[in-house]
Amino acid sequence: MSLEEPRDAKPEIGVTDDGLDYDALAALLGDTLLDREDHVTTEGFVVRPDDVQDALRTLKQEAGFDHCSCVTAQEYQDRYESIYHLKKYDDPTHELSVVVPTSRDDPVSQSANDVYRTADWHEREAYDLVGIEYEDHPDMRRILLPETWQGHPLGRDYDQTQPQVVTLREHANPLQEDHMADDTDTMFINVGPHHPATHGVLHLKTVLDGEQVADVEPDIGYLHRCEEQLCQQCTYRHQIMPYPDRWDYTANLINEWSYARAAETLADIDVPEYAQVLRTMSAELSRMAGHFLALGTFALDVYGEFTAIFQYAFRDREIAQDILEDLTGQRMMHNYFRLGGVVWDLPNPREEFFEKTRDFLDDLPAKLDEYHDMITSNEIFQVRCVNTGVLEPDVAKEYGATGPVARGSGIDYDLRRDDPYGYYPELDWDVVTEDGCDNYARVLVRMQEVEESAKIVEQCLDLLEDWPEDERTLQSNVPRTIKPEPDTEIYSAIENAKGELGIYIRSDGTDKPARFKIRSPSFSNLQALPEMSNGEYVADLIATLGSLDIILGEVDR
Amino acid sequence: MTGPLQATTLPETLSGLLGLNTNDPLQWFLAALIASALVGTLMLTNTALVIWAKRKITAAFTDRIAINRVGPFGLLIIVADAVRLLSKELIVPDEVDRPAYDLAPLVLASSALLGFAVIPMGNGIQIADPETGLAYVFAVASLASLGLVMAGYASNNKYSFLGSLRAVAQNLAYEIPLVLTGVSVVIFAGTLRLSEIVAAQSETLFTLGGLAIPSWYAFVNPFAFVLFMAANLAEVGRNPFDIPEAPNEIVAGYMTEYSSVYFVLLYLGEFIHVFLGAAIVTTLFLGGPAGPVLPGIVWFLIKIWAVFLFTQWTRSAVPRVRIDQLIEIGWKGMLVLSIANLVLTAVIVGVLV
Amino acid sequence: MSSNDKTTDTLSTQDARMGQGADDRFNSPLREAFGSTPFILTKFDKFMNWVRGSSMFMLQFGIACCSIEMIHTYAIKHDLDRFGAGVPRSSPRQADVMIVPGTIVSKFAPRMKRVYDQMPEPKFVVGMGSCTISGGPFQEGYNVIKGAEEVIPVDIHVPGCPPRPEALIYGVAKLQERVANGESAPVTVKPYEMEQFGDLEQDEIVQKLADQIDEDDLVMRYNWTDSP
Ligand code: SF4
């Protein structure tokens, strides 16, 4: 992993020419710092539960850690621990983990909500699944599981066989009290969990003032499939890999890379160049498929059901899927990556595969023109999308937004370039940003990213074609069972179609992870929805939701 | 005041054929009843065809095939769909406002059918030809808004309610430009009687290489035609103005709670409405049933199906506007334009005639 | 279809649905109007079955990964509409068939049952994907319902993870075939019924929740030890 130079030379505390100077950062925290831990890619600073806010605030304001990527909670034999994974939007290789241990008897820790707004949901999740409580948190409720759930399933003494009761209140109206002044009438309305616009099972508790949204509160967890628990039950070598395909199920393949990267860094596994090229190519094809779907469903939201654009987007996605099927053997759940490489080479005859993929890429510009004709240059579409669902860059950073959502707000942040992995640094492509901050900008970003992906695939194809036959190593030598050193911790992330997909793994010396935490981009992006849609019209709420392109499988995990 | 079609309405022809005495109110009523039944059946058959045609047309726009298994070209789907929908369980949710809930589908479907009473369809098919034909058509067509409000309000469902509120706002905003644009035609034709409006369009406007272009008002005043088409889209609630239904925002709008027979009625009503809109366009701007070679009724059907095709086209390719934008377009754009159109027409007609 | 092996005395969804005769789910006011004259009924039933088998409105219903393949089934290449089954209605009141495309978790199950209940009879369910059969890859999750049949009766199961669009089309075609032949699927609904909270036996959990939950709330009770 090569570290990139920080792009602007403004001196920040703890920044040296070759990365972070953790001693300087430690000095910055002074007394609040209890201890320092070594994590694989970074260091963990241990602070006391009642110093969380101070420590984080100092780090954010003085050391420039403006991106709270994730909050991991876990339970040890003797303590609970919350880990705040901090990064910088300017240079995501500058990482720092803030570790907050709390006692088992009284797992209360200060909330980071005041410093990073994104901590709100992350801490609720930690409370829900692990059972740590956060002081000063504005809304300490369960987030993924039903309110009436008994126990915290990722805690150590959770009994999975105990009976549970889940309620359904007819015409439930949890926001009965009026959000507006007395002389106006508001109406509470449930959008979802089954609603055509939610693209899955999301529940938006919405308060309307006439046609305008007075308040919206996303209620998630309708697709909480216990992915973290399941990954903790599986062995590193083969069993975990199928699951990432099911997190972001529109652009499946890229997710595998997140686990591959984390586990490979953890267990120190090399990946042959040839496999890297294959990975890069397949991941970008998958990204295209995901963006086509995003485009199609966004058209569904703005145009109405079963319009031409929707169908065309699916036509093109179908082709991308076909190519991936040729390569991997499945249309969606590819399970193509292996630790240390990929599972198989290009299908034989190779020429046919090249030709098919080239055809697809050659047709693409014409198709994209068609999309631009039908979508982005349509006046009504512009009227609908420009200046709706505005997400200012500061707000986006506060909520930890990443991916096309952040890039649509002008935040130049793409892990493929900023925290390079795979074959990306060798290839010639650009990071797309738009300054519009609105729904329109996000659509534009996605459409241009399809072009960039096409560029990458094209270059990979050239490379693959010329690759000498005897150097096509698919996998490096990987031990049959992987048992990383006990208590190694790693947090690493890749850029999937929706943004920064991070994985935290803590090993305990066995062949299964002791804690497996997924940081999904959609989770953070969705959190910004109320910010973007309050005061807008219902129709724009729906469009904004569509332009966030959340995938519930990834939000709820 | 001599229209060629004006003298013989369908009941008169029928009573002639059946030997009924037109002066006897009872026999006259009988003739009118038969005539209405005929026209009603014709229009309902058309709408039934829509079940099939709509899917086929949408499919054609989106590179698909659509129904082709049931009967020739999948045509039997019409039977299957209709019977199946009728035979489904009729769910009347608790706490709906009973009479209104039941009446709404009826109001919607019948108001549109009523409009066809005065439309001249060629070959003497016109049930009545009152002097105020145009006013009557507009009046019954806008009854539908009442049906929508009833449906939305009575359903006791917030989505329905939102849908019906949107429908009212929309209809209010677009009814006025629609009527005003219609009036500009009246200025040209000098009459409200539909058969005379049609007759006025039969003259030749100019000849183009031996082809006589009739003075359809769509050619005479294309501006009014475009305005009218747009307002009409809003009036019948199709894209880009389909916000009362807006399937992705408010589920199915006013028809969310309706199932079975009621749903069929609403569905039919909606499409009869589209056809009524098409019929008005045809009568006012496309020369009614006039056309070469083929009999008038065939031309009439071709024209209304052409307009229907247009609505389906916009549906497949045009985004839906937002409610506030819709209202804005209606009040600030269309209204002004239609008044301008009216004044201009009045001046031109005043100067020329 | 025999329903003699029922063991519970409370009226389960299964009993309620089965009514007095095996073919009750095909009942409609229209058919009832014809009384029980066998001669008319057979012809009429045949016709009605053909009607129901030839055309269906689907419920626009997406849950998880399988729903992506379901959309593909509707879209250009696979075009489910060829079979007269390609009109998704977003309101359950107007739908005949519910394709359940994905994993059902505890929080969603009562909602799904609710949506199912809102559909008018006769209604059919196609379970799409391994998740609706057994919980699929997520079967061991603490939160995952072990198959759609725990909650609603399923007529056709389409296995796969996800099933290819072709497989889903085959499933729908099979469903149409069965409906057209008047075969009703075995209806089984297993332990998790919706109940009023007040009716639950007073045990530890109920005691614990008693002051949080309104007596009239509908609840679904998951007895994980009993589930497969
Ligand atoms: S069966 Fe497989 S593809 Fe379908 S929802 Fe379950 S995990 Fe996803």
Side-chain angles (χ1 to χ4, degrees):
Chain A
M1 249 174 47
S2 68
L3 290 172
E4 224 204 25
E5 302 282 311
R7 260 163 287 132
D8 67 21
K10 181 181 86 189
E12 255 166 7
I13 294 179
V15 177
T16 58
D17 281 349
D18 43 34
L20 279 183
D21 177 6
Y22 288 105
D23 294 332
L25 289 173
L28 180 68
L29 285 190
D31 288 347
T32 22
L33 188 67
L34 289 182
D35 196 6
R36 283 166 65 175
E37 289 177 1
D38 236 358
H39 293 180
V40 176
T41 53
T42 173
E43 276 199 34
F45 284 9
V46 184
V47 300
R48 285 189 0 179
D50 45 4
D51 281 339
V52 179
Q53 279 186 11
D54 285 345
L56 290 178
R57 188 164 288 126
T58 321
L59 286 172
K60 183 182 182 189
Q61 283 166 358
E62 287 170 43
F65 286 99
D66 52 355
H67 180 25
C68 176
S69 176
C70 179
V71 181
T72 305
Q74 53 186 330
E75 188 180 0
Y76 287 86
Q77 209 117 42
D78 57 342
R79 64 177 193 276
Y80 285 97
E81 213 177 76
S82 329
I83 307 178
Y84 295 86
H85 302 281
L86 305 184
K87 286 191 177 188
K88 293 177 186 168
Y89 271 103
D90 280 342
D91 187 349
T93 52
H94 292 180
E95 291 177 58
L96 182 66
S97 299
V98 175
V99 182
V100 189
T102 43
S103 72
R104 269 183 69 82
D105 316 324
D106 183 27
V108 182
S109 154
Q110 212 173 34
S111 164
N113 182 44
D114 273 357
V115 190
Y116 299 106
R117 258 141 86 200
T118 179
D120 179 350
W121 278 21
H122 285 287
E123 284 173 353
R124 275 178 69 189
E125 186 191 320
Y127 164 72
D128 191 358
L129 300 185
V130 182
I132 305 176
E133 282 180 44
Y134 293 89
E135 245 173 350
D136 302 335
H137 190 282
D139 190 19
M140 203 73 248
R141 279 181 298 134
R142 285 186 184 274
I143 184 168
L144 294 174
L145 291 168
E147 286 285 326
T148 48
W149 202 259
Q150 304 297 304
H152 302 279
L154 294 184
R156 293 177 73 87
D157 36 47
Y158 176 72
D159 172 16
Q160 210 186 313
T161 52
Q162 70 178 327
Q164 299 282 1
V165 159
V166 175
T167 55
L168 168 68
R169 190 76 192 275
E170 282 190 83
H171 310 297
N173 185 353
L175 299 176
Q176 220 135 24
E177 78 278 17
D178 223 333
H179 278 247
M180 302 292 286
D182 288 335
D183 51 352
T184 51
D185 273 340
T186 55
M187 173 163 84
F188 174 79
I189 194 162
N190 282 311
V191 180
H194 157 241
H195 183 281
T198 53
H199 304 187
V201 279
L202 168 70
H203 180 193
L204 297 178
K205 297 171 178 172
T206 317
V207 179
L208 296 184
D209 177 16
E211 278 271 348
Q212 269 158 324
V213 178
D215 184 64
V216 54
E217 189 204 335
D219 173 22
I220 61 176
Y222 293 94
L223 194 55
H224 175 53
R225 302 192 280 194
C226 330
E227 307 258 15
E228 289 173 8
Q229 177 218 22
L230 288 167
C231 289
Q232 280 162 223
Q233 291 174 0
C234 293
T235 55
Y236 291 107
R237 183 73 171 91
H238 288 300
Q239 291 181 344
I240 294 180
M241 198 56 95
Y243 283 103
D245 277 323
R246 288 160 179 87
W247 300 339
D248 169 1
Y249 44 70
T250 63
N252 316 61
L253 200 65
I254 323 174
N255 305 310
E256 291 177 19
W257 208 331
S258 66
Y259 170 64
R261 185 176 189 194
E264 279 158 6
T265 324
L266 182 72
D268 218 358
I269 299 170
D270 284 332
V271 184
E273 291 263 292
Y274 185 65
Q276 291 284 28
V277 179
L278 279 175
R279 282 183 173 189
T280 311
M281 182 193 67
S282 51
E284 288 311 306
L285 278 170
S286 181
R287 187 186 311 273
M288 281 152 108
H291 282 345
F292 280 133
L293 185 118
L295 204 63
T297 46
F298 187 60
L300 201 69
D301 290 335
V302 178
Y303 284 64
E305 58 186 4
F306 278 63
T307 53
I309 296 118
F310 171 77
Q311 302 276 6
Y312 289 174
F314 271 81
R315 175 196 63 194
D316 296 341
R317 183 182 147 87
E318 187 83 42
I319 303 173
Q321 270 194 338
D322 263 357
I323 295 172
L324 281 172
E325 188 186 357
D326 287 349
L327 181 65
T328 67
Q330 233 275 25
R331 280 168 60 87
M332 274 173 74
M333 304 306 172
H334 308 288
N335 194 12
Y336 180 61
F337 284 24
R338 293 288 179 274
L339 297 189
V342 295
V343 60
W344 31 57
D345 201 350
L346 298 179
N348 272 327
R350 289 162 72 94
E351 290 69 40
E352 241 172 60
F353 179 81
F354 290 132
E355 204 188 305
K356 190 171 179 181
T357 319
R358 285 244 158 78
D359 282 349
F360 170 58
L361 296 179
D362 291 344
D363 291 346
L364 212 56
K367 283 174 176 164
L368 285 172
D369 279 348
E370 194 179 24
Y371 286 126
H372 278 297
D373 276 351
M374 286 194 302
I375 307 179
T376 44
S377 56
N378 184 317
E379 299 228 342
I380 301 183
F381 183 83
Q382 290 175 2
V383 172
R384 277 298 306 277
C385 294
V386 174
N387 276 332
T388 60
V390 177
L391 181 67
E392 296 295 339
D394 313 343
V395 184
K397 285 183 181 174
E398 273 294 312
Y399 281 103
T402 48
V405 176
R407 290 195 284 275
S409 292
I411 301 174
D412 193 6
Y413 181 78
D414 190 325
L415 291 179
R416 287 176 291 173
R417 180 198 61 201
D418 299 343
D419 183 6
Y421 57 95
Y423 216 72
Y424 291 111
E426 260 64 48
L427 305 172
D428 171 35
W429 58 283
D430 295 313
V431 175
V432 181
T433 51
E434 286 283 336
D435 292 329
C437 307
D438 50 13
N439 292 343
Y440 191 64
R442 288 189 278 276
V443 173
L444 285 183
V445 166
R446 291 212 177 84
M447 290 186 54
Q448 290 168 37
E449 271 184 21
V450 170
E451 283 170 44
E452 293 301 323
S453 297
K455 262 204 245 167
I456 297 176
V457 174
E458 183 108 46
Q459 295 170 42
C460 289
L461 283 178
D462 292 342
L463 284 168
L464 290 174
E465 230 166 2
D466 302 337
W467 211 274
E469 186 143 7
D470 45 348
E471 281 172 37
R472 293 182 192 155
T473 336
L474 290 177
Q475 287 183 34
S476 56
N477 272 335
V478 181
R480 191 168 283 262
T481 41
I482 296 174
K483 288 187 184 172
E485 293 286 297
D487 264 325
T488 22
E489 298 175 42
I490 180 168
Y491 175 78
S492 84
I494 56 120
E495 182 82 18
N496 85 349
K498 314 289 181 279
E500 175 184 340
L501 176 61
I503 304 283
Y504 168 87
I505 299 178
R506 175 170 63 88
S507 61
D508 58 357
T510 63
D511 56 354
K512 295 172 183 169
R515 178 79 173 97
F516 192 99
K517 161 85 189 166
I518 308 157
R519 186 266 183 212
S520 77
S522 298
F523 184 77
S524 303
N525 292 352
L526 175 63
Q527 212 179 339
L529 178 71
E531 202 71 49
M532 297 159 77
S533 49
N534 278 358
E536 304 234 337
Y537 287 87
V538 193
D540 287 341
L541 168 71
I542 305 291
T544 308
L545 185 62
S547 84
L548 280 179
D549 188 23
I550 48 154
I551 297 298
L552 270 303
E554 198 182 55
V555 175
D556 296 346
R557 285 150 293 145
Chain B
M1 292 288 276
T2 49
L5 298 165
Q6 177 206 354
T8 47
T9 58
L10 191 58
E12 281 163 351
T13 328
L14 275 176
S15 26
L17 280 177
L18 299 175
L20 297 174
N21 178 8
T22 43
N23 290 328
D24 178 357
L26 214 64
Q27 293 190 17
W28 175 241
F29 180 70
L30 188 66
L33 206 64
I34 298 172
S36 314
L38 282 177
V39 171
T41 316
L42 178 70
M43 282 340 286
L44 284 175
T45 320
N46 256 316
T47 346
L49 255 178
V50 162
I51 298 178
W52 174 84
K54 179 179 175 246
R55 282 154 87 167
K56 279 294 197 187
I57 294 171
T58 320
F61 277 121
T62 54
D63 275 3
R64 288 182 298 127
I65 305 173
I67 19 175
N68 62 356
R69 303 283 152 132
V70 202
F73 307 109
L75 267 171
L76 282 185
I77 198 84
I78 299 171
V79 183
D81 255 352
V83 176
R84 174 185 52 97
L85 279 172
L86 290 175
S87 72
K88 292 218 70 163
E89 180 188 5
L90 178 62
I91 297 180
V92 180
D94 265 0
E95 294 177 36
V96 296
D97 197 356
R98 220 23 219 282
Y101 180 82
D102 298 324
L103 280 176
L106 284 175
V107 171
L108 191 71
S110 57
S111 71
L113 269 182
L114 279 178
F116 282 102
V118 294
I119 303 283
M121 304 188 193
N123 298 17
I125 305 180
Q126 184 181 18
I127 298 173
D129 193 13
E131 233 165 281
T132 51
L134 192 61
Y136 167 82
V137 167
F138 281 133
V140 281
S142 38
L143 265 185
S145 330
L146 187 65
L148 297 189
V149 180
M150 282 162 75
Y153 181 75
S155 289
N156 189 26
N157 176 317
K158 288 168 183 167
Y159 288 114
S160 307
F161 187 59
L162 272 179
S164 70
L165 287 185
R166 286 176 171 197
V168 181
Q170 173 172 341
N171 281 10
L172 279 184
Y174 282 83
E175 201 88 351
I176 303 171
L178 192 76
V179 174
L180 282 181
T181 322
V183 169
S184 76
V185 168
V186 173
I187 295 182
F188 272 121
T191 170
L192 280 171
R193 195 187 288 261
L194 290 177
S195 58
E196 285 172 17
I197 294 179
V198 169
Q201 296 179 56
S202 58
E203 288 139 36
T204 312
L205 189 63
F206 55 87
T207 334
L208 200 77
L211 207 67
I213 302 290
S215 65
W216 293 357
Y217 290 124
F219 301 137
V220 176
N221 191 353
F223 179 62
F225 177 61
V226 172
L227 260 184
F228 197 85
M229 282 299 267
N232 189 44
L233 278 180
E235 171 75 11
V236 298
R238 300 273 98 188
N239 270 23
F241 309 113
D242 73 334
I243 57 161
E245 219 187 319
N248 264 57
E249 290 159 24
I250 48 172
V251 190
Y254 56 87
M255 51 165 97
T256 305
E257 286 289 349
Y258 283 93
S259 59
S260 187
V261 189
Y262 288 165
F263 170 62
V264 175
L265 278 176
L266 284 177
Y267 203 67
L268 273 187
E270 202 186 321
F271 281 108
I272 304 176
H273 230 81
V274 176
F275 276 119
L276 180 62
I280 300 176
V281 172
T282 308
T283 312
L284 292 189
F285 289 97
L286 299 178
V293 191
L294 296 172
I297 177 75
V298 179
W299 271 113
F300 177 76
L301 289 179
I302 290 175
K303 282 171 188 170
I304 58 174
W305 275 91
V307 179
F308 174 73
L309 198 73
F310 175 74
T311 63
Q312 285 302 312
W313 179 26
T314 58
R315 191 189 157 84
S316 303
V318 183
R320 155 192 318 137
V321 296
R322 210 169 52 203
I323 177 77
D324 63 314
Q325 293 164 347
L326 175 114
I327 302 296
E328 216 156 276
I329 298 173
W331 288 110
K332 293 193 190 154
M334 303 276 271
L335 186 61
V336 178
L337 285 180
S338 58
I339 290 179
N341 169 51
L342 186 66
V343 172
L344 237 104
T345 320
V347 171
I348 292 174
V349 172
V351 170
L352 290 186
V353 181
Chain C
M1 212 333 264
S2 74
S3 54
N4 47 13
D5 53 356
K6 57 180 179 234
T7 44
T8 47
D9 356 345
T10 51
L11 194 67
S12 66
T13 310
Q14 177 183 357
D15 300 331
R17 294 197 39 149
M18 293 311 294
Q20 304 89 19
D23 279 326
D24 216 31
R25 61 192 316 212
F26 288 101
N27 257 355
S28 67
L30 207 67
R31 192 189 130 174
E32 271 161 15
F34 275 78
S36 56
T37 322
F39 176 71
I40 303 178
L41 261 190
T42 36
K43 283 288 161 226
F44 185 66
D45 274 0
K46 254 212 168 109
F47 174 65
M48 288 311 290
N49 288 339
W50 171 82
V51 158
R52 287 178 185 135
S54 308
S55 138
M56 318 179 140
F57 280 178
M58 314 311 243
L59 179 66
Q60 191 174 348
F61 191 55
I63 305 179
C65 354
C66 277
S67 54
I68 304 294
E69 286 295 68
M70 186 181 76
I71 306 177
H72 272 280
T73 318
Y74 288 125
I76 285 188
K77 184 168 160 193
H78 301 285
D79 193 12
L80 189 58
D81 204 17
R82 287 175 296 154
F83 298 83
V87 180
R89 296 296 314 180
S90 28
S91 163
R93 298 271 191 235
Q94 293 137 22
D96 307 291
V97 179
M98 176 176 186
I99 300 180
V100 185
T103 326
I104 304 144
V105 303
S106 61
K107 199 171 174 181
F108 189 59
R111 271 82 180 173
M112 187 173 86
K113 174 116 176 67
R114 187 83 194 280
V115 172
Y116 175 78
D117 289 341
Q118 282 171 342
M119 285 166 58
E121 294 278 356
K123 52 191 166 190
F124 308 96
V125 178
V126 177
M128 182 182 182
S130 327
C131 282
T132 57
I133 296 173
S134 62
F138 303 101
Q139 201 202 18
E140 282 165 27
Y142 46 84
N143 189 25
V144 175
I145 307 292
K146 324 295 188 235
E149 277 202 328
E150 311 274 320
V151 186
I152 58 174
V154 178
D155 293 83
I156 295 273
H157 282 292
V158 184
C161 183
R164 298 178 64 90
E166 293 90 328
L168 180 61
I169 292 185
Y170 182 69
V172 171
K174 272 284 163 207
L175 174 70
Q176 294 184 332
E177 202 175 286
R178 298 194 65 151
V179 174
N181 290 339
E183 294 167 23
S184 128
V187 177
T188 26
V189 176
K190 286 196 298 226
Y192 314 143
E193 296 285 339
M194 298 261 265
E195 291 177 66
Q196 224 94 74
F197 183 70
D199 300 343
L200 285 181
E201 301 150 41
Q202 295 291 311
D203 60 13
E204 205 186 324
I205 289 205
V206 176
Q207 223 90 63
K208 214 187 277 178
L209 295 171
D211 41 326
Q212 284 180 38
I213 303 181
D214 199 316
E215 290 270 298
D216 300 332
D217 276 6
L218 295 173
V219 304
M220 200 166 260
R221 189 195 180 83
Y222 301 103
N223 205 344
W224 297 120
T225 23
D226 286 354
S227 63

